[in-house]
Amino acid sequence: MSTSHRIVLLVTSPRLPAGLLTAAAWDTLRSAPVLTGTESAQATAVRAAGVEVTVVSGGATDALLAAAAAHGTAVWLAGPAGDATLARELGLRLARQPGLAELELMYGSWDPPGARLLDAVEVMDRLASPGGDPWKRAQTHRSLAGFLIEECYEAYDAINDGDTDALREELGDVLLQVLLHARLAEELPEGERWNVDDVAGTLVDKMVRRNPHVFAGAEAASLAEIEANWERIKQAEKARTSVLDGVALSQPALSLAAKVLDRAGRAGLTVPLPAPDAQPDPESRLGAALLAMVAQARQAHLDPEAALRKTTRALPLPTLPTLPTPVPPPAPPS
């Protein structure tokens, strides 16, 4: 049985400014009675545009059916969570009584890519604000430094293991560190503070500036030319006076040695390596020997850090014995 009555479930994104809706959504809102389950920023914005919005505290399904019967069309302005319970209830009712009305789902706005990052920022703000998580509020950039390195290594392990599900989770943990550092920076003294938008803005500016072949119409015939342009732009930005400027000195020693030799080689410099036999003590001889091996790896286009990590992880280590369960001491005599 067909019917001319229509109920429109209007769903909107809670991550966009209230009132930022499609033209079709505004046309629908202005053409029929609008009901909603609770006051919200979206309801306020719709009222501000001259549309009457009625809050229904109970019996929403019956209220919608009555409004559709009286006016031909009724609109339900869904709350921030989407009102899935009402949608199921209304769908079941119309499945049993299809002649009452037709149900239409309309998206008045939808999440843009990256919208859940706004949720992550909001959650972190609550955790690091008064009344939130005492542990997070007690942290500093320095106290968190080790966690940032640890989370990056766990993401690195997931990549090496080819576990993309684990990688997704570990990248979330890295993002947590970024968000927490940015939130703590909001508490810095005036003139020093910054926030997560400053972090994102700096990144966006850098990506646009360093990729003129994408954003500025520059020509790039090959990957080598793109890399050369990147290095030229970066050098102009940083005004570096040494080939070692910008090298992370806290990275593992093998990767640090490889990075130093690579930087020198790309600058056209020949670095004289120390002879192991000429060193005055065992530690210096070992360091010189390792540096020579890093140089050999670079000539062979191998990553010494990755090679040693791969070999170490492949060691046939014996399984550690299971420790016996501790036996509690006997109860004292009564």
Side-chain angles (χ1 to χ4, degrees):
M1 178 185 300
S2 62
T3 178
S4 59
H5 299 159
R6 183 172 70 124
I7 295 175
V8 179
L9 297 182
L10 183 61
V11 179
T12 62
S13 169
R15 302 174 185 90
L16 292 179
L20 188 61
L21 306 175
T22 64
W26 277 116
D27 289 344
T28 301
L29 287 168
R30 293 188 175 103
S31 65
V34 180
L35 288 69
T36 191
T38 185
E39 292 292 353
S40 65
Q42 198 69 266
T44 300
V46 170
R47 284 198 191 97
V51 177
E52 182 179 351
V53 179
T54 302
V55 176
V56 179
S57 57
T61 296
D62 289 336
L64 277 168
L65 289 170
H71 301 276
T73 299
V75 179
W76 180 262
L77 183 61
D83 296 349
T85 300
L86 171 64
R88 285 194 296 270
E89 179 182 327
L90 189 58
L92 290 173
R93 177 75 173 272
L94 294 179
R96 292 193 300 267
Q97 298 175 277
L100 294 178
E102 294 179 350
L103 182 61
E104 177 184 340
L105 177 63
M106 174 180 288
Y107 287 95
S109 61
W110 48 88
D111 290 345
R116 294 309 302 270
L117 291 174
L118 300 177
D119 294 343
V121 171
E122 182 179 357
V123 168
M124 181 55 67
D125 182 64
R126 181 174 178 183
L127 288 171
S129 295
D133 178 15
W135 184 89
K136 289 181 176 59
R137 288 180 51 77
Q139 300 310 305
T140 65
H141 295 305
R142 185 172 297 276
S143 70
L144 291 170
F147 293 105
L148 178 58
I149 294 175
E150 180 180 352
E151 299 298 355
C152 289
Y153 274 127
E154 290 182 6
Y156 185 91
D157 283 344
I159 293 173
N160 281 340
D161 294 340
D163 191 338
T164 54
D165 288 337
L167 177 59
R168 181 187 66 244
E169 179 180 354
E170 299 302 342
L171 289 177
D173 292 340
V174 174
L175 177 61
L176 184 152
Q177 295 299 313
V178 174
L179 295 176
L180 183 51
H181 277 284
R183 180 60 182 82
L184 294 176
E186 295 183 36
E187 310 295 334
L188 292 173
E190 186 71 31
E192 299 179 23
R193 66 185 59 153
W194 42 269
N195 59 30
V196 70
D197 286 319
D198 296 317
V199 175
T202 301
L203 173 62
V204 169
D205 292 343
K206 181 187 296 185
M207 288 192 297
V208 171
R209 191 170 56 247
R210 293 188 181 180
N211 291 277
H213 58 288
V214 177
F215 298 102
E219 295 294 331
S222 64
L223 290 178
E225 188 173 341
I226 291 174
E227 292 176 357
N229 287 341
W230 178 282
E231 291 297 332
R232 187 187 68 256
I233 295 169
K234 184 165 64 173
Q235 184 175 4
E237 291 172 356
K238 303 294 184 180
R240 289 169 172 163
T241 58
S242 169
V243 293
L244 298 185
D245 286 348
V247 173
L249 301 179
S250 298
Q251 62 184 297
L254 281 179
S255 58
L256 173 61
K259 175 62 75 173
V260 168
L261 293 179
D262 181 65
R263 278 286 187 90
R266 285 157 65 184
L269 302 176
T270 301
V271 179
L273 301 180
D277 294 341
Q279 302 309 305
D281 56 76
E283 183 181 47
S284 299
R285 286 193 291 272
L286 176 60
L290 290 173
L291 185 57
M293 295 184 68
V294 171
Q296 294 174 9
R298 180 176 178 275
Q299 291 177 354
H301 303 289
L302 296 174
D303 181 349
E305 181 76 26
L308 180 58
R309 186 183 306 276
K310 178 180 178 181
T311 302
T312 303
R313 288 179 53 137
L315 285 174
L317 296 176
T319 304
L320 292 176
T322 302
L323 297 177
T325 304
V327 179
S334 56

